[in-house]
Amino acid sequence: MIVHTLRFAFKDGTTEEQKAHVLALMRRTASVESVSFATVGQSLGDPADGLTHAYCVGIADLAALERYMHDPVHLAGDSEIIPHLAKISVGPDLSDDMAPELAGEIMAVHEKKAALHPEWAAQLEPLLEIHLAPEPSGRP
């Protein structure tokens, strides 16, 4: 199981109605076939980080992650969601799969989507703060 987490903040001036619409779009994305479980709502992290909301999905494996990233519902939702966000903190994701290469494989799925959808990547990039596991150093 891959658990993908996002914490985010809305742009200043986003109305409560717009926020509710964005959260509804996120819930729609989180309900696609490739998602095993999900939650969308408030972030319970440190308020000082400015991240007010959270999105978390459980995805069975890399094949399901690939389907999730390219699902038409996900693609359509992102174009409506991203313009309302000021900041997105990605991860750290987690998994019960102990394969050391998994983080790199997950990043490769993201990079493939970015290459196929450069307009999506260009919209998203300025908002992202990504928390990845450090590369193994090979030291004990």
Side-chain angles (χ1 to χ4, degrees):
M1 183 67 59
I2 297 165
V3 179
H4 177 57
T5 60
L6 304 174
R7 292 176 303 134
F8 58 95
F10 288 99
K11 287 182 179 174
D12 289 341
T14 304
T15 67
E16 291 305 314
E17 183 178 292
Q18 289 169 320
K19 289 177 184 179
H21 180 66
V22 166
L23 295 174
L25 290 169
M26 288 181 162
R27 288 183 185 104
R28 183 183 75 178
T29 298
S31 70
V32 298
E33 162 277 328
S34 53
V35 174
S36 299
F37 62 85
T39 191
V40 178
Q42 68 173 318
S43 174
L44 300 176
D46 184 353
D49 67 15
L51 300 166
T52 56
H53 291 77
Y55 173 93
C56 177
V57 289
I59 299 172
D61 54 27
L62 283 170
L65 179 64
E66 186 82 27
R67 291 191 311 277
Y68 166 77
M69 292 295 281
H70 300 282
D71 191 294
V73 170
H74 190 175
L75 295 172
D78 280 357
S79 65
E80 291 186 65
I81 293 166
I82 293 170
H84 294 286
L85 303 183
K87 180 179 174 182
I88 305 168
S89 178
V90 180
D93 290 349
L94 53 130
S95 180
D96 59 356
D97 180 339
M98 299 304 290
E101 66 279 359
L102 183 60
E105 292 171 338
I106 291 169
M107 184 53 79
V109 172
H110 170 78
E111 290 168 353
K112 178 180 175 183
K113 181 177 179 178
L116 289 171
H117 303 280
E119 67 290 343
W120 168 82
Q123 267 191 309
L124 195 59
E125 184 64 31
L127 307 177
L128 287 180
E129 178 181 293
I130 300 176
H131 302 276
L132 297 174
E135 289 295 319
S137 65
R139 294 184 299 222

